[in-house]
Amino acid sequence: MPQELLLQVAPEIAANETLLHDYLSRQLKISVKEIQHVTIVKRSIDARQKVVKINLKVMVYLKGEPFLEQKIALPDYQNVANAQEVIVVGAGPAGLFAALQLIELGLKPIVIERGKDVRGRRRDLKAINRDHIVNEDSNYCFGEGGAGTYSDGKLYTRSKKRGDVNRILELLVAFGATPDILVDAHPHIGTNKLPQIIQDIREKIIECGGKVLFETRVTDISIKNNEVQGVTTQNGEVISANKLILATGHSARDIFELLDKKKVLIEAKPFALGVRAEHPQSLIDSIQYSCDYRGEHLPPAPYSIVKQVNGRGMYSFCMCPGGVIAPCATSPGEVVTNGWSPSKRDQHTANSGIVVELKLEDFKPFAKFGALAGMEFQKSIEQKAWQLAGQTQKVPAQRLVDFTQSKMSSDIPKTSYVPGTTSVELGQVFPGFLTQIMREGFSEFGKSMKGYATNEAILHAPESRTSSPVRIPRDNYTLEHLQIKGLYPCGEGAGYAGGIISAAIDGEKCAQKIAEVLKN
Ligand SMILES: Cc1cc2nc3c(=O)[nH]c(=O)nc-3n(C[C@H](O)[C@H](O)[C@H](O)COP(=O)(O)OP(=O)(O)OC[C@H]3O[C@@H](n4cnc5c(N)ncnc54)[C@H](O)[C@@H]3O)c2cc1C
């Protein structure tokens, strides 16, 4: 029987198999030659003390003990070319994992995606970064893999059901992600690795007889007697099916408008909004690891911070160590930020959304838009940022301390945001109450993370697509829309997920519910 051990070791030991075996031989009082294999089961960083340690859970196999390298395999997907069709709108994590699950359950997914495949998408990302041109169907949020493809690929989630989370992580590994994601407390894939994984998922869907249609925007959903009949695409093509998974993400404003126009029940939903802060990574390392130099065995340090200010939470969101700030607008005439990092997290900057929770009452000035009030509030801030940026994708930016002191920054150093920055007093971007909370909040952050509140940090505005501003309400058990039979609101856009893993889990659940209904 292998021995399970919990260890706390220096980073260089955790990073080196030989040193780890030496360490274990000393702990177990055996010769190193007696150790056949060590499997790392869990890995996390403990930076609470002055000296940073790595927590490891390991299984130690001694010579002579049976040991089989575990290989994560794909499920036994069926050929569904002739099976009953289910429409899946949106090829983000929710839509793709719904499609895979439908195949596993013997149903044929027709995945309809407004954007291009991962390769085609790249050209449009270049156009945003270089020429300030936003393609409404192909950008950082829209296209194959959805907002997940050029995302950071951090895979931690608040989702409680460990089984569901592990299943998605294992599927990602089977599609080519590093097995490290099964072990790390804070798993991360990286923007450079995600496109190939997404492409392999699509190829599997097609190989099994499913369909994937790119550059096909759904412009209408046909509903008769409160039951879904199918969809119409921008070319006027009608695709019929009476089961529809709607997984269009939090930025599909035209879908929210369509549902509202058709009087399909939707609700305004609170979300969070703020700025994206960028610090030198070395500064964050020194704060988090209490050191002058991180060394080669520790990863670039993340941070997570939350404060209550005037009765509202202000917190870090989607923190990207060693990462880059990306222009994430989905329409011309708006500026939106978010962040990503490559698998090695080897950029010199650390960025994080720093956002304030909004309440429904904040949307009052937009009350005439009904369920779309939050979306219009969000849009108004993104459009103001674009105006202040001289009607370009150059993001309004300010040094952090200058912001807390309402002082325009005399210069903005080059940041990782490729389209460039424009020096703006960021109080002009946000409503007064939000500016006030952020000014106080940043000062508070500086008290608990010594060195954080510095003018070396540059704030970029706005960070506004943290979650959906709309909920498409569904029955908690059947997952069907409350009024419309056959309509399954799914993933982040429907308000039932926040992040890659929870969106993927939700996609699977919707597919399972459809299979249940069709079996009975
Ligand atoms: C830069 C960036 C970094 C991020 N980093 C992380 C991270 O590190 N970890 C994490 O967990 N999450 C991260 N996220 C968030 C994550 O990507 C989303 O939570 C996740 O992708 C939501 O999945 P979804 O499938 O619900 O929606 P989406 O991924 O938004 O997918 C929706 C899809 O629907 C398509 N669509 C929309 N309207 C239509 C239509 N009318 N017709 C046809 N298709 C349509 C869109 O083109 C899109 O492809 C990041 C997001 C961004 C933008």
Side-chain angles (χ1 to χ4, degrees):
M1 281 281 282
Q3 287 192 58
E4 182 184 294
L5 294 176
L6 295 174
L7 318 171
Q8 202 173 56
V9 297
E12 58 273 22
I13 295 180
N16 181 306
E17 192 178 281
T18 311
L19 293 181
L20 182 60
H21 283 211
D22 283 346
Y23 177 90
L24 283 165
S25 73
R26 286 194 302 277
Q27 292 293 307
L28 296 171
K29 298 190 176 37
I30 55 172
S31 146
V32 76
K33 287 190 189 136
E34 286 180 63
I35 298 178
Q36 178 196 178
H37 179 82
V38 179
T39 302
I40 297 178
V41 183
K42 280 272 159 241
R43 180 168 47 214
S44 63
I45 298 174
D46 186 348
R48 288 169 302 176
Q49 316 293 329
K50 271 253 168 251
V51 180
V52 181
K53 296 278 187 194
I54 308 293
N55 293 325
L56 294 179
K57 182 170 169 185
V58 296
M59 301 294 276
V60 183
Y61 294 82
L62 299 183
K63 283 261 154 67
E65 279 176 345
F67 165 69
L68 253 185
E69 189 91 58
Q70 250 199 335
K71 223 168 151 17
I72 307 270
L74 283 176
D76 206 3
Y77 290 119
Q78 317 181 30
N79 190 303
V80 291
N82 300 316
Q84 178 155 0
E85 295 182 345
V86 175
I87 294 175
V88 179
V89 188
L96 289 177
F97 280 81
L100 287 173
Q101 182 67 267
L102 287 169
I103 292 173
E104 232 184 306
L105 297 169
L107 296 166
K108 176 175 177 176
I110 311 289
V111 181
I112 308 176
E113 168 56 52
R114 71 194 296 164
K116 299 179 185 168
D117 65 17
V118 277
R119 276 178 202 279
R121 236 177 130 174
R122 258 183 227 146
R123 273 190 295 279
D124 298 310
L125 302 188
K126 241 191 214 154
I128 304 177
N129 278 299
R130 206 185 43 200
D131 308 323
H132 302 247
I133 296 169
V134 180
N135 178 332
E136 285 180 278
D137 290 313
S138 176
N139 46 58
Y140 275 93
C141 294
F142 294 164
E144 185 176 18
T149 307
Y150 296 98
S151 77
D152 196 37
K154 284 182 291 293
L155 301 176
Y156 26 104
T157 169
R158 287 196 206 113
S159 188
K160 293 279 181 307
K161 287 197 182 158
R162 205 55 239 171
D164 292 346
V165 175
N166 286 346
R167 187 182 140 81
I168 302 296
L169 292 176
E170 284 177 8
L171 275 173
L172 285 167
V173 171
F175 277 109
T178 165
D180 283 351
I181 64 172
L182 303 173
V183 167
D184 286 325
H186 289 126
H188 171 241
I189 293 184
T191 314
N192 49 326
K193 306 271 182 188
L194 281 158
Q196 187 61 49
I197 296 170
I198 300 292
Q199 195 173 307
D200 289 353
I201 292 178
R202 178 234 307 166
E203 280 166 9
K204 179 55 77 182
I205 293 170
I206 294 171
E207 182 192 311
C208 295
K211 261 194 189 170
V212 183
L213 308 173
F214 291 118
E215 298 184 60
T216 309
R217 188 184 341 119
V218 166
T219 51
D220 197 9
I221 301 174
S222 1
I223 297 166
K224 209 169 158 193
N225 300 330
N226 282 343
E227 191 166 351
V228 161
Q229 307 290 302
V231 296
T232 307
T233 73
Q234 89 267 31
N235 312 318
E237 192 191 349
V238 174
I239 302 173
S240 303
N242 63 3
K243 296 282 176 275
L244 166 76
I245 296 180
L246 187 66
T248 42
H250 60 26
S251 292
R253 289 178 175 159
D254 43 7
I255 288 289
F256 297 138
E257 281 162 355
L258 172 73
L259 296 175
D260 197 45
K261 203 173 89 195
K262 293 179 86 77
K263 305 219 177 321
V264 171
L265 183 65
I266 57 172
E267 298 163 351
K269 178 183 141 303
F271 57 104
L273 190 142
V275 294
R276 190 152 277 261
E278 182 167 279
H279 289 75
Q281 180 62 53
S282 54
L283 175 68
I284 299 299
D285 290 342
S286 68
I287 299 172
Q288 296 298 85
Y289 293 148
S290 317
C291 64
D292 291 332
Y293 170 61
R294 182 179 83 231
E296 59 185 304
H297 300 299
L298 280 174
Y303 67 85
S304 164
I305 188 162
V306 56
K307 290 279 168 203
Q308 285 296 315
V309 186
N310 298 348
R312 303 209 190 207
M314 172 164 156
Y315 55 91
S316 52
F317 167 80
C318 184
M319 195 270 149
C320 303
V324 169
I325 302 183
C328 292
T330 47
S331 294
E334 63 192 28
V335 168
V336 177
T337 62
N338 205 313
W340 60 266
S341 54
S343 54
K344 289 193 177 144
R345 290 186 156 158
D346 51 4
Q347 307 298 300
H348 296 295
T349 42
N351 70 70
S352 179
I354 300 294
V355 295
V356 175
E357 61 176 338
L358 296 175
K359 299 179 179 176
L360 288 177
E361 68 211 43
D362 300 331
F363 308 149
K364 261 194 196 139
F366 298 88
K368 68 171 183 197
F369 294 100
L372 302 179
M375 185 183 98
E376 291 297 328
F377 171 93
Q378 182 189 49
K379 207 198 276 182
S380 73
I381 288 174
E382 294 167 356
Q383 290 177 343
K384 202 183 290 170
W386 185 73
Q387 290 294 349
L388 290 164
Q391 303 192 347
T392 68
Q393 284 300 311
K394 283 189 172 187
V395 65
Q398 191 171 15
R399 289 178 184 267
L400 191 155
V401 179
D402 289 347
F403 173 66
T404 60
Q405 296 173 353
S406 320
K407 200 172 96 190
M408 179 105 170
S409 298
S410 55
D411 69 322
I412 302 288
K414 194 171 179 323
T415 75
S416 68
Y417 182 87
V418 176
T421 54
T422 312
S423 179
V424 167
E425 206 297 280
L426 294 186
Q428 291 181 69
V429 179
F430 303 105
F433 77 92
L434 255 181
T435 306
Q436 194 52 37
I437 291 173
M438 284 193 278
R439 286 202 173 117
E440 283 181 38
F442 274 117
S443 302
E444 289 300 312
F445 281 13
K447 289 178 196 159
S448 39
M449 275 180 77
K450 293 269 180 294
Y452 184 91
T454 161
N455 255 346
E456 272 191 90
I458 311 297
L459 308 183
H460 303 63
E463 168 91 19
S464 46
R465 308 278 177 99
T466 51
S467 70
S468 184
V470 169
R471 172 169 286 109
I472 312 176
R474 68 186 188 191
D475 181 88
N476 283 338
Y477 178 73
T478 65
L479 307 189
E480 253 180 341
H481 185 267
L482 286 183
Q483 292 169 331
I484 311 297
K485 239 178 132 216
L487 176 63
Y488 291 78
C490 179
E492 188 156 38
Y496 294 100
I500 295 168
I501 294 288
S502 57
I505 291 174
D506 202 51
E508 286 206 328
K509 279 193 194 154
C510 288
Q512 286 156 12
K513 285 295 174 186
I514 290 176
E516 255 173 59
V517 172
L518 292 178
K519 252 193 229 153
N520 293 327

